[in-house]
Amino acid sequence: MFTQEQPRLRNWINGEFTNPVSATTDSPTTAYLPVTSPYNGKVIGHVPISTSLDVTQAVGAAHAAFPAWSSRTIKDRAAILLRFHALLTKHADQLADMVVLEHGKNKAEALASVLKGQETVEYALSLPQVVQGKMLEVSRGISCCDTRVPLGVVASVVPFNFPVMVPMWTLPIAIAMGNTMVLKPSEKVPFTMCKIVELLKEAGLPDGVVNLVHGTADAVNALIDHPDVKAVTFVGTSHIAEMVSQRCHRLNKRVLALGGAKNHMISAPDCSVEMTSTDVVNSYSGCSGQRCMAATVLLTIGHQQELVDKIVAKSESLKPGSKAGEVGPVIDQASVDKITRYINEAEASGAKILVDGRPWTKAHHEGYWVGPTVILHTNKADAALHDEIFGPVLSILAVQSAEEALAIENANPYGNAACIYTSSGATADHFIKRFSAGMCGVNIGVAVPREPFSFGGWNKSRFGSHCDITGDGGVEFFSLRRKVTTKWVPQENASWMS
């Protein structure tokens, strides 16, 4: 399928690729969208625009598969995921190549994203040992126990920036807990998940347990509105995440919608200049800045010229390309336009462009390129200091005190992630206790928790459920608790026991 010249993708329903209902020979242009490679802008395939009819088919398959799947033991379900894990390892290089082609990551980043997805599969493999219920004699002759019960059909809507890793946040835990799933990948990067569902089938996953529906907003709305879909997860911008959450809430439907971020780094005067500069550059430019954990604002306490100079030098040494250490393109022309607009606006407001990534756009006649950019601000109101740009852009602002740095970080509405660079444990403790963020780092700009610790921010980076999306938060979201209180009447004649 993937090696064909500009293939037309199909939905995956009930264990096989299925043409969408909307795909007709009379009007192919209305049924498909082109998929382009960010490296050269060339069309590499076409993705169907599924309708509510396609969603109904997928949900129907998941609904039909649920009774048998949920009745299996969790150890039985985990055994299938163990085989899936082995297949992901076997095909990791191929999956990484697909991510490079359709998303634009460099090869090392793409492979790392596959392996990071594997970590959540590994956590799901531990669930037979993790999610046992509790039992306690709560009073004389009365005991209580609880067990976890799957929800039914769940939907997962995932973004373009991590074609393997983000779907793996939800899929392994959801199905290990006994749910069935309909997943909608981003229409910008649909290829990789098509390979993933084939691997799930090869691992022995029964037909209908995981289904794939391509499409845009109409498919998402149809999934939310379908009465047999019991829960929805979403990852994307905060604006859309809030809309998804509100739509689900109107239906009294369980929802966890992760949004955007504007993550702050604070450098104390005692930070290691060499380590901090390397980590800051990796944080803002890695994955071309297209990740919600990218830390893109650096607040220096005082003017730290040596640190700024190191960041500039290391940023200027970065090269475009797909090899390890190189910076890949951004996803599409709309992203290029958005990123350059923020740079232009900051420059017009008086900010100094220390490293300018805009020439990369002109130097590449094909594809969607913006190079690493470092902006030194003097105006706290600059939009680049506040808005999620989603590109390789670092904003630096010198502040006078720790209190001023914390005030700026605390005023950030997202509450996703924050980092302090320091050589002092006391300083680190002071900032960590005062950050307004769900994921915090000490000398680590991209402070992604590793399993078994769960992923999730606060405030406007998350809507709906209070749960995190991975780890024990995912277990809680994808299951209900059944509590049983038991009392037995003593037998009047129990002589047979003696």
Side-chain angles (χ1 to χ4, degrees):
M1 176 195 63
F2 187 69
T3 58
Q4 295 176 11
E5 185 69 19
Q6 298 187 7
R8 283 187 175 183
L9 299 185
R10 294 179 291 171
N11 295 324
W12 178 266
I13 297 176
N14 203 31
E16 62 181 1
F17 287 111
T18 304
N19 286 321
V21 176
S22 60
T24 66
T25 56
D26 296 330
S27 56
T29 57
T30 62
Y32 290 88
L33 288 173
V35 181
T36 59
S37 174
Y39 277 97
N40 54 26
K42 293 182 179 179
V43 175
I44 57 175
H46 294 83
V47 61
I49 305 174
S50 298
T51 68
S52 61
L53 296 176
D54 303 301
V55 168
T56 297
Q57 286 184 349
V59 174
H63 184 69
F66 175 72
W69 179 246
S70 60
S71 68
R72 293 193 181 202
T73 66
I74 192 169
K75 293 180 69 174
D76 189 20
R77 297 191 293 260
I80 294 174
L81 285 173
L82 181 62
R83 295 193 290 271
F84 174 60
H85 181 277
L87 290 169
L88 278 182
T89 301
K90 178 181 177 181
H91 294 274
D93 197 65
Q94 179 189 5
L95 291 167
D97 285 339
M98 296 171 78
V99 172
V100 170
L101 179 66
E102 68 175 346
H103 174 269
K105 282 180 169 51
N106 71 41
K107 181 61 180 288
E109 292 169 341
L111 187 57
S113 73
V114 175
L115 298 179
K116 188 67 179 71
Q118 279 279 52
E119 289 187 13
T120 315
V121 179
E122 290 160 6
Y123 177 78
L125 295 177
S126 75
L127 291 181
Q129 288 73 46
V130 170
V131 300
Q132 307 100 318
K134 301 185 294 291
M135 185 170 183
L136 181 68
E137 186 177 19
V138 294
S139 59
R140 185 172 299 176
I142 298 176
S143 63
C144 286
C145 68
D146 69 3
T147 57
R148 291 194 177 271
V149 179
L151 305 176
V153 180
V154 298
S156 185
V157 181
V158 295
F160 73 84
N161 57 330
F162 285 94
V164 176
M165 186 186 78
V166 174
M168 292 302 106
W169 283 354
T170 57
L171 189 154
I173 296 174
I175 65 174
M177 294 305 297
N179 302 285
T180 55
M181 174 175 279
V182 179
L183 188 141
K184 195 206 83 70
S186 168
E187 65 275 14
K188 297 178 181 180
V189 290
F191 283 100
T192 311
M193 278 307 301
C194 289
K195 179 63 179 178
I196 293 289
V197 292
E198 290 182 318
L199 296 181
L200 284 165
K201 185 177 180 71
E202 186 177 346
L205 190 72
D207 294 344
V209 173
V210 172
N211 304 272
L212 201 66
V213 172
H214 301 288
T216 56
D218 288 345
V220 176
N221 290 335
L223 281 169
I224 294 172
D225 295 345
H226 199 291
D228 286 337
V229 173
K230 303 304 180 184
V232 176
T233 65
F234 172 89
V235 180
T237 67
S238 287
H239 174 66
I240 303 300
E242 188 171 19
M243 291 174 59
V244 167
S245 177
Q246 291 172 350
R247 192 178 186 112
C248 288
H249 283 155
R250 286 195 292 268
L251 298 169
N252 196 29
K253 187 166 295 191
R254 185 176 294 208
V255 58
L256 176 54
L258 301 190
K262 191 68 175 180
N263 305 318
H264 291 71
M265 303 171 284
I266 298 174
S267 60
D270 68 342
C271 72
S272 166
V273 171
E274 182 62 31
M275 181 183 70
T276 300
S277 59
T278 297
D279 195 73
V280 167
V281 172
N282 289 340
S283 176
Y284 90 85
S285 68
C287 298
S288 303
Q290 297 177 118
R291 52 185 175 182
C292 68
M293 289 300 291
T296 56
V297 176
L298 174 64
L299 304 174
T300 66
I301 301 177
H303 292 280
Q304 300 178 22
Q305 193 60 48
E306 183 184 3
L307 174 61
V308 173
D309 289 344
K310 282 273 191 180
I311 290 171
V312 167
K314 292 177 181 181
S315 297
E316 289 177 334
S317 70
L318 294 171
K319 305 298 181 185
S322 61
K323 297 178 182 178
E326 295 178 336
V327 179
V330 295
I331 190 65
D332 55 21
Q333 187 59 45
S335 292
V336 173
D337 295 341
K338 177 184 176 182
I339 296 164
T340 54
R341 174 170 57 84
Y342 276 100
I343 300 170
N344 294 339
E345 290 176 355
E347 187 175 41
S349 74
K352 187 175 181 180
I353 310 300
L354 302 181
V355 181
D356 194 347
R358 290 171 294 186
W360 281 28
T361 306
K362 297 179 181 178
H364 291 79
H365 300 295
E366 294 182 327
Y368 314 116
W369 297 86
V370 181
T373 299
V374 180
I375 306 173
L376 184 62
H377 296 266
T378 56
N379 184 353
K380 293 181 182 179
D382 285 346
L385 284 166
H386 301 278
D387 298 346
E388 184 178 41
I389 300 175
F390 226 58
V393 179
L394 174 68
S395 291
I396 301 177
L397 178 69
V399 298
Q400 298 304 310
S401 65
E403 289 72 22
E404 184 182 2
L406 282 167
I408 292 173
E409 190 279 332
N410 289 173
N412 163 40
Y414 293 104
N416 190 59
C419 169
I420 174 66
Y421 293 102
T422 180
S423 297
S424 163
T427 299
D429 187 62
H430 177 87
F431 279 89
I432 292 299
K433 288 180 177 178
R434 290 164 176 80
F435 279 146
S436 180
M439 294 175 283
C440 300
V442 177
N443 298 318
I444 299 177
V446 183
V448 177
R450 305 289 293 269
E451 273 65 29
F453 298 96
S454 57
F455 184 97
W458 297 348
N459 305 334
K460 287 197 172 182
S461 69
R462 175 170 62 187
F463 299 87
S465 172
H466 67 281
C467 300
D468 287 341
I469 200 166
T470 64
D472 55 3
V475 171
E476 191 68 31
F477 181 80
F478 287 117
S479 64
L480 298 166
R481 292 177 182 264
R482 175 181 285 133
K483 287 76 64 177
V484 180
T485 304
T486 303
K487 177 181 179 180
W488 295 105
V489 178
Q491 293 187 15
E492 294 182 2
N493 181 8
S495 59
W496 60 270
M497 295 180 64
S498 57

